[in-house]
Amino acid sequence: MGDCFDCHYCNDSLLGKKYVLRENDQYCIKCYEDLYSNTCDNCKAPIGSDCKDLAYKDLHWHEQCFKCAKCDRSLAGKAFSAKDDTLLCTECYSNEYSSKCFTCKKTIMPGSRKMEYKGNSWHETCFACERCRQPIGTKPFIPKENNNYCVLCYEKQLAQHCSSCKKAITTGGVSYHDQPWHRECFLCIGCKMELAGQRFTSRDDFPYCLDCFSNLYAKKCVACSQAIVGLGSTKYISFEDRQWHNDCFNCKKCAISLVGRGFLTKRDDVFCPECGRDV
């Protein structure tokens, strides 16, 4: 092989010289570096065949050039982070860009577990119940006045208890007669329909939906036989133990409204003075 052992590119003899083998072809050092060496992103010089070539995202560095852009310490063989294509050691990246723990105010290091809630961040061990100090992790919790509580501590120490089922109210709830209720426990005493968010009335301190109250207690309009219901704002006419809706208090004959006017009666019917003369 002696006379034929030449550089694949320049044909110079490689006998007794260093060479580089690439895809079964041998090259002298100069040709190999001219043809195939990568350029260091830091110093812009070629990365020779006798140097270690460190690569990240299609960029290359000499080992001694692969450094943190802020503190200039070597990143070779160490964890690092990138920000806008700038390489930083873990410490510098944390100081510049990492979240700070809401409780201890220290940096949350990249790679460590971080808990987040409503725009704030915590170390996993710092995100703890305000009362028992046990880490909450991914378990349910209840926030109150900038503090977080595990469900057990909240129910024992802080929660109101439902007037109906006596269990803790952890979310929502309604108040009636200064007493707390679960929304699902605040029911019509008659039909058991949930009353939270609905119009209702009461009798003897018991809550009723309007339908049940109407069927059980409401006055009936003489004209339409329908219940006269309302929450204190419904207007109606009352005369001799009889009641009418305002809209129903009309002359039986000509249908003119008699609200605020004189009228005549005959049994359950009412008439305007003009029509009443003919009755």
Side-chain angles (χ1 to χ4, degrees):
M1 140 177 145
D3 293 337
C4 298
F5 193 57
D6 301 332
C7 172
H8 181 71
Y9 187 75
C10 69
N11 295 320
D12 283 353
S13 175
L14 298 177
L15 291 174
K17 300 178 182 178
K18 288 184 178 180
Y19 67 93
V20 179
L21 191 65
R22 178 184 171 90
E23 297 177 356
N24 295 322
D25 294 320
Q26 61 270 7
Y27 296 83
C28 66
I29 298 300
K30 182 179 184 305
C31 287
Y32 179 84
E33 291 182 351
D34 289 344
L35 292 170
Y36 300 114
S37 288
N38 294 306
T39 300
C40 176
D41 191 64
N42 185 23
C43 70
K44 309 306 179 186
I47 301 173
S49 59
D50 58 343
C51 297
K52 185 178 288 188
D53 184 337
L54 301 182
Y56 174 73
K57 286 189 174 180
D58 297 326
L59 299 175
H60 298 262
W61 291 263
H62 294 103
E63 183 176 15
Q64 64 272 21
C65 294
F66 192 57
K67 300 177 181 179
C68 171
K70 188 170 180 65
C71 70
D72 212 35
R73 286 184 291 188
S74 174
L75 299 177
K78 299 178 182 178
F80 64 90
S81 298
K83 180 72 173 178
D84 301 328
D85 293 330
T86 299
L87 303 184
L88 298 167
C89 66
T90 301
E91 184 177 347
C92 289
Y93 182 90
S94 300
N95 291 335
E96 291 288 327
Y97 303 110
S98 290
S99 303
K100 299 294 188 292
C101 176
F102 186 76
T103 297
C104 72
K105 311 305 179 186
K106 295 180 181 179
T107 299
I108 301 174
M109 300 298 287
S112 62
R113 192 168 184 184
K114 178 172 67 172
M115 313 304 293
E116 295 182 314
Y117 176 68
K118 287 192 173 181
N120 293 319
S121 302
W122 288 262
H123 293 108
E124 184 178 17
T125 54
C126 291
F127 189 60
C129 172
E130 182 68 19
R131 181 175 177 272
C132 69
R133 306 311 306 168
Q134 292 298 309
I136 293 171
T138 58
K139 294 180 291 187
F141 67 96
I142 297 104
K144 184 177 177 65
E145 299 175 355
N146 295 324
N147 294 318
N148 301 313
Y149 296 87
C150 67
V151 174
L152 184 61
C153 286
Y154 184 86
E155 290 184 351
K156 284 183 177 180
Q157 299 295 320
L158 300 170
Q160 291 183 311
H161 288 74
C162 177
S163 296
S164 176
C165 71
K166 311 305 179 186
K167 294 180 180 179
I169 300 173
T170 56
T171 58
V174 296
S175 178
Y176 173 68
H177 283 187
D178 295 324
Q179 298 294 320
W181 306 67
H182 290 113
R183 294 176 65 88
E184 61 272 20
C185 292
F186 187 56
L187 308 175
C188 170
I189 198 68
C191 68
K192 306 305 180 186
M193 180 181 76
E194 287 189 21
L195 296 177
Q198 306 294 324
R199 298 182 70 196
F200 68 94
T201 188
S202 64
R203 184 181 175 95
D204 299 329
D205 290 336
F206 293 111
Y208 291 86
C209 69
L210 297 187
D211 286 343
C212 286
F213 185 84
S214 299
N215 293 333
L216 293 171
Y217 303 113
K219 298 177 176 67
K220 299 296 192 295
C221 175
V222 172
C224 70
S225 300
Q226 298 298 310
I228 299 174
V229 295
L231 300 177
S233 61
T234 299
K235 295 180 179 180
Y236 65 97
I237 306 298
S238 181
F239 179 71
E240 293 183 350
D241 296 326
R242 289 174 291 173
Q243 288 78 34
W244 292 260
H245 293 107
N246 266 21
D247 292 340
C248 295
F249 193 58
N250 302 322
C251 174
K252 178 71 174 179
K253 187 172 182 181
C254 71
I256 190 173
S257 174
L258 300 177
V259 176
R261 304 179 58 178
F263 60 92
L264 301 172
T265 64
K266 183 175 183 181
R267 291 185 292 276
D268 287 338
D269 296 328
V270 289
F271 299 88
C272 65
E274 291 78 10
C275 295
R277 297 191 192 99
D278 300 330
V279 176

